[in-house]
Each structure stands twice: as structure tokens, then as C-alpha cells.
Amino acid sequence: EFKDQGQEHIDVGESHNSYNSNPPTSGPHWIEPVRDGVYEKSQPDEGLGHSLEHGRVWISYKSSISESAKQKLRDIAKSQVRMVLTVRDANETDIAVTAWQRLDTFNLGADGSFDENRVVDFIARYRDKAPENGVTLPANMSGKEY
């Protein structure tokens, strides 16, 4: 659990203080959230912060993990609602699961696997536990990435 750094909306490109977690779990964020979905590219932390504010869970992973681990993460994300999955090489570990003020980070096992139940349990515990729950963000149907 991390201290709440607020919900300030900022303009794209506007500077702000650094976040107290990696990935961020609260703090200044863009007015436009990253839409629900599975992204094959990194998305801006400031856009994802707004998604978290609306109760989303964000799973991020380093691009260097195995394709089988990536596919398992995709399968988990697609089986859930109010989810965002992205690549994020700025992570300190292979995988990070993030919600408002909450973060679980871990590396893959020596065999390249991870505990899928750990991820699903985090989602169940912390999805929709944020300041602005219940806001509908349509899925990213256009394929547009920021």
C-alpha cells in the first residue's frame, strides 16, 4: 500500500512531482485516461493514473519476458473487466500489478512461470477500490495507442 498522492488532473506534457511508487499508484494524471484493453506498447503513466483513479487494475510487464508469460497475462486481462495490460520496461521487476494505492511486483520463476492466482487475487481485491469507481471507460476498440 502506498500513500495517496492525490487526483490532480494535468495537461499532457505538464510537469509534476515524481511518483512514490514504480509503477505509480496515484498522483497527478492526464485528463484523458488510457482505455480498457490489451496494449502491445507502453502507455503513458499519466494516462494510466487516470485509469487507476476510475478503479481499473493495470498489469504491466517488461518486454523481455517470455512469449508464454505474455500470453498468460493477456489471457488473464481478457478474462476480466476494467483492466489494462501494457508493456512497461521501466518496471523494476518482470511484472507489476497496480491499482489505486496498491502495487504487487514480482519476477518470473527460474522456469519462466508466475503464479496466475496471485494476479487474479489482486484483481479481485483491489479493482473498483478507487476514488471514482463506476465510471465507464469504453474498451479501446479503435486500436489507437497513445
Side-chain angles (χ1 to χ4, degrees):
E1 182 173 4
F2 289 85
K3 182 180 177 188
D4 189 337
Q5 289 189 288
Q7 302 167 238
E8 177 186 6
H9 290 166
I10 60 174
D11 292 327
V12 173
E14 185 176 335
S15 63
H16 59 84
N17 291 334
S18 61
Y19 296 112
N20 63 359
S21 63
N22 180 18
T25 57
S26 68
H29 53 265
W30 292 349
I31 294 168
E32 181 71 24
V34 171
R35 304 289 180 203
D36 299 351
V38 173
Y39 296 82
E40 300 298 326
K41 295 181 181 177
S42 295
Q43 300 298 301
D45 287 348
E46 293 83 0
L48 287 152
H50 199 163
S51 301
L52 297 177
E53 180 188 31
H54 290 294
R56 280 17 186 209
V57 172
W58 168 27
I59 303 172
S60 59
Y61 60 89
K62 287 189 172 185
S63 61
S64 60
I65 69 171
S66 70
E67 185 56 39
S68 64
K70 290 175 189 176
Q71 188 57 53
K72 286 180 184 179
L73 291 172
R74 287 183 201 110
D75 292 344
I76 291 170
K78 289 177 180 180
S79 72
Q80 301 288 325
V81 296
R82 294 184 292 286
M83 293 288 312
V84 179
L85 174 69
T86 70
V87 175
R88 187 173 186 274
D89 285 324
N91 285 355
E92 295 171 1
T93 59
D94 292 333
I95 297 171
V97 189
T98 313
W100 191 259
Q101 293 184 258
R102 301 288 181 165
L103 178 61
D104 186 13
T105 61
F106 52 93
N107 288 313
L108 297 178
D111 64 354
S113 68
F114 65 94
D115 182 356
E116 295 172 54
N117 289 330
R118 179 177 180 169
V119 176
V120 172
D121 181 61
F122 183 99
I123 295 165
R125 286 175 185 254
Y126 301 116
R127 178 180 44 219
D128 289 333
K129 303 270 193 309
E132 295 186 18
N133 293 331
V135 174
T136 300
L137 300 176
N140 181 11
M141 303 304 283
S142 68
K144 177 183 175 186
E145 296 193 22
Y146 298 91

